[in-house]
Amino acid sequence: MAVLVLASALSVTTLALDNGLMRTPPMGWLAWERFRCDTDCEHDPKNCISENLFIDMADRLSEDGWKELGYVYVNIDDCWSSMERDEQGRLQPDPKRFPGGIHKLTRYMHDRGLKLGIYGDMGKHTCGGYPGTPMEKIEIDAFTFADWEVDMLKYDGCWSNATEQEQGYPLMSKALNATGRPIGYSCSWPAYQGGLPPKVNYTQLGEICNLWRNYGDIQDSWDSVLNVIDWFSKNQDVLIPAAGPGQWNDPDMLIIGNFGLSMDQSRAQMALWAIMAAPLFMSTDLRTISSGARSILQNKIVISINQDPMGVQGRRILKEKNGIEVFWRPLSSNASALVIFSRRNDMPYRYQTSLSKLNYTTGSYKIYDVFTDKTMMLKDSTDFVVSVNPTGVVMWYVSAPAKRNFLQFYKGGKLQGSFYADDDENAIPIFL
Ligand code: GLA
């Protein structure tokens, strides 16, 4: 019997993606949104998809304080490969743009404590028209990526149909496991199937992928960010249970630092990606990023909310007629995060509420305003007003409620009276 139980436990674990990776949402940099399929190195040497671009970004990540905050993945997207496989049938990088091969890049990353991600596609071609990794190539390509010491694979789904995806995504998961190298696995599968059950099986995805794209591509505009936020909020009851340590919903890249978002909108994207426990892949030029955008992306408290070890994805708890929406995420140590988001386009809106109206239980809470660095104590029952900029957010880290201390008053050794105090500072007995 014991042998049987052990044997069945083993067969279950081999089905699951047991690479132990991404217990918190992965963080790093991904080429696509900002650099697309620019292969014109002759005219645009700084921005074309080439080893120099990834080396430049690795230098910035390791020298400008990003790596220490957790931004460690440097991920190649589409358009990296040569149009032909080599004589042994293996994918190979474009020799002009990647003269040192992918191995040179993985070494460069690993020497600096960074990781390298690569991109493949389940169909005959990638979305950009480069060679894909259809069924019969899965094993050889997984092996090649492991041989190059790659740390993550984004496996896209262009040019493949539902039946192929159903076989291919689990097969790639197995093939990556079989290489013996821990390789983070990002699946675009659900995005190609509308992102919702019954077509999408989130239980299975959690077993075979570390993260997955649920929805369409993000673009460099506020409209696009809003569209993503709305889809994820509308479908949150399906998406939230799918997420947890090692398995994340991916609303796509952070576009902060580019051309389409104001500072308020950038804070909104950062805050809501933290609430959603989303992977934080920046797609921006780290060589020229403004100090404003950088300080949003490097905000330690937002990052720690995103990286909370409990790994519970947050939710929209209120959608008011006045254009205010409130988001909440439970965090470890009984703490939580609150985001008050304004969809308005007129002027800063003074939103009045109280913690008890936002479902907080009785108690006194320490509030830390993530973007202004201000702290205050707040009782659940006290009404407060926050001013929220148009298309902006106010974000709070809310500590666990202070313990209610039972205080007793003594006079001449005799008990005179007692009362409850709401915060720790008053925890000493008082002698009159
Ligand atoms: C798809 C993906 C994008 C990007 C492009 C590359 O559209 O969703 O994230 O990888 O392909 O061609």
Side-chain angles (χ1 to χ4, degrees):
M1 185 60 192
V3 173
L4 267 183
V5 170
L6 183 67
S8 68
L10 276 179
S11 72
V12 168
T13 49
T14 45
L15 274 180
L17 183 66
D18 50 0
N19 62 16
L21 295 172
M22 302 180 175
R23 306 305 294 169
T24 62
M27 296 172 64
W29 183 90
L30 175 58
W32 182 255
E33 196 291 315
R34 175 63 182 79
F35 294 95
R36 307 285 167 148
C37 196
D38 181 351
T39 53
D40 189 358
C41 293
E42 198 191 320
H43 300 104
D44 199 10
K46 274 279 182 196
N47 299 314
C48 66
I49 302 301
S50 68
E51 65 180 34
N52 292 336
L53 179 68
F54 297 97
I55 285 174
D56 278 359
M57 292 308 140
D59 290 346
R60 301 285 43 91
L61 287 180
S62 57
E63 289 165 32
D64 298 344
W66 300 100
K67 183 180 83 178
E68 292 72 19
L69 293 165
Y71 292 101
V72 294
Y73 284 93
V74 179
N75 288 3
I76 302 173
D77 206 274
D78 205 347
C79 311
W80 59 271
S81 81
S82 166
M83 282 299 179
E84 270 92 47
R85 289 176 175 259
D86 71 8
E87 315 83 63
Q88 287 155 71
R90 294 174 301 193
L91 287 173
Q92 50 184 347
D94 180 278
K96 283 223 183 73
R97 294 180 286 121
F98 294 86
I102 301 299
H103 217 159
K104 172 180 171 188
L105 282 180
T106 51
R107 261 190 236 120
Y108 196 87
M109 302 307 156
H110 297 161
D111 285 350
R112 285 158 184 77
L114 300 170
K115 294 167 186 283
L116 188 86
I118 205 159
Y119 168 98
D121 187 289
M122 151 84 283
K124 199 162 184 294
H125 308 284
T126 69
C127 303
Y130 288 75
T133 305
M135 214 72 70
E136 66 278 8
K137 300 282 193 233
I138 286 179
E139 274 181 32
I140 181 171
D141 289 356
F143 185 84
T144 306
F145 298 146
D147 190 43
W148 289 339
E149 299 181 89
V150 158
D151 303 294
M152 177 171 170
L153 169 68
K154 169 173 167 182
Y155 198 30
D156 211 339
C158 276
W159 302 99
S160 62
N161 63 34
T163 320
E164 289 161 342
Q165 290 165 12
E166 217 168 297
Q167 295 171 356
Y169 279 96
L171 200 63
M172 178 58 91
S173 183
K174 274 196 186 159
L176 292 174
N177 260 348
T179 66
R181 182 174 178 80
I183 298 180
Y185 183 33
S186 165
C187 300
S188 300
W189 184 13
Y192 285 87
Q193 296 304 324
L196 296 173
K199 279 199 182 160
V200 175
N201 176 349
Y202 279 109
T203 311
Q204 184 192 13
L205 277 167
E207 287 165 358
I208 65 165
C209 313
N210 294 113
L211 61 155
W212 46 81
R213 283 281 307 283
N214 315 66
Y215 191 56
D217 291 0
I218 202 159
Q219 309 293 347
D220 192 2
S221 75
W222 176 240
D223 266 5
S224 172
V225 172
L226 253 191
N227 183 259
V228 171
I229 294 168
D230 286 345
W231 189 86
F232 277 78
S233 305
K234 190 169 109 205
N235 298 301
Q236 60 185 3
D237 291 334
V238 167
L239 303 177
I240 290 169
Q247 44 186 93
W248 310 103
N249 293 301
D250 179 7
D252 213 359
M253 291 155 271
L254 294 166
I255 58 162
I256 299 164
N258 296 335
F259 310 97
L261 300 188
S262 70
M263 282 299 128
D264 273 297
Q265 292 161 351
S266 303
R267 282 187 278 270
Q269 191 189 21
M270 191 70 187
L272 293 172
W273 261 235
I275 291 288
M276 289 190 285
L280 299 180
F281 287 109
M282 309 181 279
S283 191
T284 188
D285 191 340
L286 298 174
R287 297 165 298 200
T288 56
I289 190 170
S290 71
S291 60
R294 179 197 314 235
S295 72
I296 294 169
L297 289 162
Q298 294 195 342
N299 185 304
K300 284 192 179 144
I301 310 295
V302 191
I303 292 173
S304 77
I305 291 170
N306 173 270
Q307 295 288 300
D308 185 78
M310 209 161 75
V312 176
Q313 182 173 333
R315 60 170 54 247
R316 182 168 69 191
I317 57 171
L318 265 181
K319 187 172 162 61
E320 307 263 27
K321 285 209 188 71
N322 57 21
I324 298 293
E325 297 183 5
V326 183
F327 293 78
W328 171 83
R329 178 176 172 188
L331 303 172
S332 47
S333 311
N334 248 329
S336 58
L338 269 180
V339 169
I340 301 163
F341 169 48
S342 170
R343 312 177 65 102
R344 297 175 69 96
N345 295 303
D346 52 354
M347 62 185 279
Y349 186 79
R350 289 170 57 76
Y351 180 65
Q352 179 170 348
T353 185
S354 70
L355 289 178
S356 64
K357 283 179 199 143
L358 301 177
N359 304 334
Y360 281 76
T361 53
T362 312
S364 181
Y365 294 81
K366 191 167 153 194
I367 308 291
Y368 181 80
D369 186 308
V370 168
F371 292 117
T372 64
D373 280 335
K374 292 205 174 101
T375 339
M376 62 174 167
M377 293 299 298
L378 196 59
K379 274 200 189 139
D380 63 288
S381 53
T382 311
D383 260 29
F384 61 83
V385 175
V386 282
S387 172
V388 196
N389 291 348
T391 68
V393 289
V394 168
M395 184 178 207
W396 286 358
Y397 176 86
V398 184
S399 302
K403 283 190 209 82
R404 295 199 352 131
N405 294 300
F406 185 62
L407 301 184
Q408 295 181 315
F409 291 83
Y410 292 88
K411 196 174 179 186
K414 267 191 169 175
L415 184 63
Q416 299 290 306
S418 57
F419 75 105
Y420 280 102
D422 276 336
D423 60 306
D424 284 323
E425 274 100 305
N426 297 324
I428 36 160
I430 298 165
F431 295 90
L432 300 173

